[in-house]
Amino acid sequence: MSTWANLGLQDSASPLMEQLIFFHDHALLILVMITVLVGYLMFMLFFNSYINRFLLHGQLIEMIWTILPAIILLFIALPSLRLLYLLDEINEPSMTLKSIGHQWYWSYEYSDFNNIEFDSYMIPTNELSTDGFRLLDVDNRVILPMNSQIRILVTAADVIHSWTIPALGVKVDGTPGRLNQTNFFINRPGYFYGQCSEVCGAYPSSMLIVIECVPVHLFIK
């Protein structure tokens, strides 16, 4: 979860989020290099007067500053496309979780088990325990096994919602009348927090998500 003065991304809890963080750092490094180079050139122009009355055209330099940005864009585009297809890849899931967005709570169904479904509401501040997180905790957490491929189906009952867990790199829109799916793989135990990332009415911030990830043998119990 995010903490005070946390300027970076959350620690990843899935391989896909690790790849997203690597790509973020990769693109940021290229942006820093471009910014430093352009800033240096602009700074030098203030203190130098480059005058050459015989210079009418420079085809070589024009070729360089046309081709070089295209090559830099390729270094960003190719890893981006690879990651885009990785995010859409659906592997053989160990289990399926269905999430239905309502105004303003989530309903969950464990499709592989008989009659396991529940609603998940934000715990009001006046009912919160001393060790709970204000505006983050819910009354019924989603319990999932670690080191298992999990498929999630997301839809909505009223307006468009968005099921989002930043630490897992998961963000899926829930649209009424449509079933969207994605998958994720949690590689460490813990609590992972998220909320609806769509402006779905008056209280999208109260549509909280808490995933409790446990080892497989505890999940089966």
Side-chain angles (χ1 to χ4, degrees), residues 31-119:
L31 285 173
V32 167
M33 289 166 58
I34 293 170
T35 306
V36 168
L37 176 64
V38 173
Y40 172 75
L41 292 174
M42 291 179 67
F43 181 78
M44 294 304 291
L45 283 171
F46 283 115
F47 301 101
N48 292 280
S49 54
Y50 296 107
I51 298 170
N52 187 340
R53 63 195 181 94
F54 298 110
L55 183 64
L56 300 177
H57 56 79
Q59 291 181 349
L60 180 62
I61 188 67
E62 286 181 7
M63 282 180 61
I64 290 171
W65 72 42
T66 303
I67 293 171
L68 195 62
I71 294 171
I72 292 171
L73 282 177
L74 278 177
F75 275 98
I76 297 175
L78 294 178
S80 173
L81 284 170
R82 170 185 164 273
L83 191 52
L84 197 63
Y85 280 98
L86 271 177
L87 290 169
D88 275 342
E89 189 74 30
I90 300 294
N91 301 308
E92 282 293 326
S94 302
M95 63 167 290
T96 300
L97 175 71
K98 185 177 180 184
S99 176
I100 304 164
H102 304 269
Q103 289 181 310
W104 286 274
Y105 64 96
W106 294 99
S107 295
Y108 295 99
E109 299 174 10
Y110 285 83
S111 307
D112 303 302
F113 305 94
N114 290 327
N115 299 323
I116 300 183
E117 50 185 75
F118 56 88
D119 297 332

Side-chain angles (χ1 to χ4, degrees), residues 102-108 118-124 127-128 133 135-142 205-210:
H102 304 269
Q103 289 181 310
W104 286 274
Y105 64 96
W106 294 99
S107 295
Y108 295 99
F118 56 88
D119 297 332
S120 181
Y121 290 86
M122 180 185 76
I123 301 176
E127 297 176 16
L128 201 62
F133 291 108
L135 302 181
L136 275 180
D137 261 322
V138 295
D139 54 358
N140 293 312
R141 297 174 181 146
V142 180
S205 59
S206 67
M207 290 188 64
L208 302 175
I209 306 158
V210 182

Side-chain angles (χ1 to χ4, degrees), residues 139-154:
D139 54 358
N140 293 312
R141 297 174 181 146
V142 180
I143 300 176
L144 293 173
M146 64 179 284
N147 293 332
S148 301
Q149 200 71 43
I150 297 160
R151 172 174 57 190
I152 179 160
L153 307 173
V154 183

